[in-house]
């Protein structure tokens, strides 16, 4: 591991924590991160010449696997025509059409450069549309790092146990109400008392930022009914679930129609793209059509649009999600059996091709129950997998992903490694 360690040491002198996003620092698993040299298909290769089957896939975007030839080819052509013009192009129309076709609840969509920008902007629009200030989010859900959303957030904020980040003024946090995920009673109570002040509810319909926590079907239905009844904008943050749990996202998977949707990750095919959209009457609030301001120098740039378009064109093909579902089912079954054979009690949850194994016997239904997982066992498991050439998310409170480039052989190898790693922990 010496090259990675040397690079990490140097990186720490220049970049906070040596990384440009906290979860990459491997702090939750108590070791230095691996530095990546290149990636292809289902594999990534670190600077010390080690090969890994990759289940992080850049935290979700690479549903085709790394450096898909069609995406690389299209980008090579696009780059010859310039990288960004700061002016509209037909590519933005093409990606918007693909997205709106896949998400009938969205009548208009605005491209941005990250999931954070998407959720931050969607909330501003919901506040502008309703004239109300308060936002409901759920414990453990992570919607990016906009100030008002870093309250009992998931992902790195949970991993490092600082759900309420310093630097967020009390006045911001006061407008954010956090409730337990899957708790219809608490939801009903707060909406009934606060209904006049609540602009929107934002939710990860499947929570990928405390691992992988599935909604109780009644919970999403209750949420939709209550928000509908009180004119509260329901925002589905599908940055992770979009084009992941199904081509039409969790809203198709569970049959719930939100008022607004945030997307990211897959729609950029590995380049920086976020998007938010929804009903025409809400999106007509967005500048320059309406008074709610939001902008971005590189929003909708031709390279990112090209990568997104190529990716969606490929995954929209017949049979894609059946193929992904089959392989993901095999992996889930294999991991569960491997743990059993090794005598380790785990809980494995999956929605489409996002999944997570918890080291707990509790049913994981929310932030509290996710936190019952034995994170020290998790970090031993992580290291056991890494040394056997399997790269899973370096935190118990993150989801793992599968791609179209993963093969049965990859899955068999992963299950075998998991059995050995489970035995070690
Ligand atoms: P970005 O700003 O990182 O593009 O998206 C923020 C975001 C919004 N909503 C959901 C549901 C998300 O999962 C994310 C980002 N996910 C994390 C992984 N848990 C990105 C990885 C990272 O922070 O490095």
């Amino acid at each position: 591991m010496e090259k990675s360690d040397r690079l990490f040491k140097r990186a720490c002198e220049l970049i906070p924590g040596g990384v440009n996003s906290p979860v990459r620092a491997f702090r939750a698993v108590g070791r230095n991160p691996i530095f990546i040299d290149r990636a292809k298909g289902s594999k990534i290769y670190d600077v010390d010449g080690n090969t890994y089957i990759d289940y992080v896939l850049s935290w979700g975007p690479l549903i085709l696997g790394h450096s898909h030839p069609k995406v690389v080819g299209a980008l090579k052509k696009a780059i010859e025509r310039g990288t960004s013009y700061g002016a509209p192009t037909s590519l933005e129309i093409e990606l918007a059409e693909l997205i709106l076709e896949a998400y009938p609840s969205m009548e208009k969509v605005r491209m941005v450069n990250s999931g954070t920008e998407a959720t931050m902007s969607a909330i501003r629009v919901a506040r502008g549309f309703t004239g109300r200030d308060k936002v409901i989010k759920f414990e453990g859900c992570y919607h990016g790092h906009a100030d008002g959303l870093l309250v009992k957030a998931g992902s790195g904020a949970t991993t490092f146990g600082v759900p309420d980040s310093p630097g967020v003024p009390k006045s911001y946090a006061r407008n954010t109400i956090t409730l337990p995920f899957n708790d219809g009673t608490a939801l009903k109570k707060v909406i009934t008392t606060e209904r006049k002040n609540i602009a929107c509810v934002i939710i990860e319909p499947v929570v990928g930022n405390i691992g992988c926590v599935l909604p109780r079907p009644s919970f999403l239905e209750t949420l939709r009914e209550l928000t509908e009844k009180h004119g509260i904008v329901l925002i589905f943050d599908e940055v992770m679930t979009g084009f992941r749990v199904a081509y039409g996202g969790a809203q198709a998977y569970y049959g719930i129609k939100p008022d607004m949707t945030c997307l990211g990750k897959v729609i950029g095919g590995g380049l920086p793209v976020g998007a938010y959209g929804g009903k025409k009457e809400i999106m007509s609030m967005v500048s320059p059509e309406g008074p709610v301001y939001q902008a971005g120098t590189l929003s909708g740039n031709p390279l990112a649009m090209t990568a997104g378009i190529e990716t969606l064109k490929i995954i929209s093909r017949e049979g894609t999600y059946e193929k992904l579902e089959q392989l993901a089912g095999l992996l889930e079954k294999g991991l569960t059996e491997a743990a059993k054979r090794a005598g380790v009690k785990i809980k494995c949850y999956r929605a489409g091709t996002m999944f997570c194994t918890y080291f707990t016997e509790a049913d994981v239904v929310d932030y509290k129950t996710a936190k019952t997982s034995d994170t020290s066992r998790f970090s031993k498991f992580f290291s056991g997998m890494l040394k056997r050439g399997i790269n899973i998310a370096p935190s118990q409170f993150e989801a793992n992903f599968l791609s179209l480039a993963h093969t049965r052989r990859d899955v068999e190898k992963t299950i075998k490694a998991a059995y050995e790693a489970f035995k070690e922990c």
Side-chain angles (χ1 to χ4, degrees):
M1 248 359 142
E2 61 283 4
K3 238 181 175 178
S4 272
D5 292 336
R6 263 208 317 278
L7 287 170
F8 187 52
K9 189 167 172 300
R10 179 65 184 136
C12 287
E13 292 160 7
L14 308 164
I15 305 165
V19 291
N20 286 306
S21 197
V23 280
R24 304 178 194 169
F26 277 28
R27 287 198 173 189
V29 289
R31 47 162 303 150
N32 287 349
I34 50 172
F35 275 60
I36 305 304
D37 173 56
R38 61 190 173 82
K40 182 82 187 150
S42 62
K43 311 286 185 305
I44 52 167
Y45 305 88
D46 73 14
V47 292
D48 290 295
N50 301 302
T51 305
Y52 306 91
I53 300 172
D54 185 23
Y55 290 97
V56 177
L57 295 169
S58 180
W59 302 92
L62 297 162
I63 195 163
L64 294 181
H66 292 280
S67 41
H68 188 284
K70 277 240 181 326
V71 175
V72 172
L75 284 172
K76 279 183 182 162
K77 277 212 208 83
I79 210 160
E80 297 293 334
R81 308 163 65 90
T83 54
S84 177
Y85 317 123
T89 66
S90 61
L91 292 168
E92 292 149 270
I93 297 169
E94 203 177 336
L95 187 56
E97 282 171 342
L98 284 164
I99 291 173
L100 296 185
E101 202 183 313
Y103 291 76
S105 69
M106 292 169 89
E107 294 172 322
K108 282 207 173 174
V109 64
R110 166 63 61 86
M111 305 297 173
V112 292
N113 303 281
S114 69
T116 295
E117 275 187 81
T119 58
M120 175 176 76
S121 311
I123 286 172
R124 184 181 310 135
V125 173
R127 284 174 162 153
F129 178 69
T130 58
R132 303 172 187 171
D133 290 344
K134 287 199 188 297
V135 171
I136 290 181
K137 76 175 283 292
F138 297 90
E139 284 164 10
C141 286
Y142 175 72
H143 304 290
H145 60 89
D147 280 344
L149 288 168
L150 277 181
V151 181
K152 292 201 180 65
S155 184
T158 286
T159 305
F160 308 129
V162 281
D164 303 306
S165 167
V168 176
K170 290 257 172 305
S171 56
Y172 277 57
R174 249 201 306 278
N175 278 322
T176 307
I177 303 166
T178 49
L179 296 174
F181 187 76
N182 267 329
D183 184 339
T185 314
L187 179 67
K188 231 173 243 151
K189 197 155 146 269
V190 168
I191 288 194
T192 314
T193 48
E194 288 286 341
R195 61 188 179 285
K196 291 261 169 301
N197 312 314
I198 299 171
C200 60
V201 177
I202 185 164
I203 188 166
E204 287 184 62
V206 174
V207 189
N209 287 291
I210 36 180
C212 183
V213 178
L214 307 180
R216 291 191 181 106
S218 57
F219 178 63
L220 291 180
E221 277 142 28
T222 306
L223 180 60
R224 180 61 286 184
E225 277 153 32
L226 285 167
T227 45
E228 191 83 56
K229 190 169 161 211
H230 297 295
I232 297 169
V233 177
L234 175 57
I235 303 174
F236 266 21
D237 175 353
E238 298 228 40
V239 166
M240 192 187 282
T241 54
F243 296 101
R244 173 59 67 182
V245 298
Y247 188 68
Q251 54 196 272
Y253 199 75
Y254 293 103
I256 301 276
K257 222 175 161 174
D259 301 310
M260 294 182 85
T261 300
C262 300
L263 295 168
K265 296 182 193 274
V266 169
I267 64 168
L271 268 67
V273 181
Y276 68 98
K279 289 175 174 166
K280 264 198 184 106
E281 54 173 336
I282 300 177
M283 291 304 286
S284 65
M285 294 297 288
V286 182
S287 175
E289 197 175 318
V292 179
Y293 197 71
Q294 180 269 310
T297 306
L298 291 167
S299 298
N301 78 70
L303 289 192
M305 295 296 103
T306 299
I309 290 161
E310 286 312 313
T311 300
L312 297 196
K313 278 195 320 199
I314 294 169
I315 60 174
S316 62
R317 288 179 195 153
E318 265 309 292
T320 300
Y321 286 81
E322 290 74 6
K323 181 169 180 277
L324 286 168
E325 177 58 30
Q326 217 227 341
L327 206 57
L330 213 66
L331 180 59
E332 178 187 13
K333 190 164 164 288
L335 290 175
T336 310
E337 281 164 5
K340 203 153 172 240
R341 264 187 303 128
V344 177
K345 296 229 178 318
I346 63 152
K347 282 283 167 75
C348 190
Y349 295 93
R350 176 173 71 84
T353 48
M354 58 188 268
F355 63 95
C356 167
T357 50
Y358 292 98
F359 287 80
T360 179
E361 295 181 63
D363 287 333
V364 180
V365 293
D366 58 15
Y367 177 81
K368 214 158 106 269
T369 42
K371 291 291 275 184
T372 64
S373 180
D374 180 340
T375 49
S376 60
R377 285 186 108 176
F378 172 82
S379 78
K380 282 200 199 82
F381 177 68
F382 173 84
S383 292
M385 292 291 262
L386 197 69
K387 77 183 179 197
R388 293 178 175 87
I390 313 293
N391 185 50
I392 62 171
S395 157
Q396 172 65 84
F397 306 108
E398 294 289 354
N400 297 281
F401 306 97
L402 208 61
S403 84
L404 276 172
H406 282 75
T407 62
R408 281 183 77 101
R409 178 93 194 80
D410 289 334
V411 167
E412 281 152 13
K413 209 174 157 241
T414 305
I415 292 163
K416 196 166 166 306
Y419 172 64
E420 301 300 331
F422 279 130
K423 274 196 305 185
E424 281 171 358
C425 64

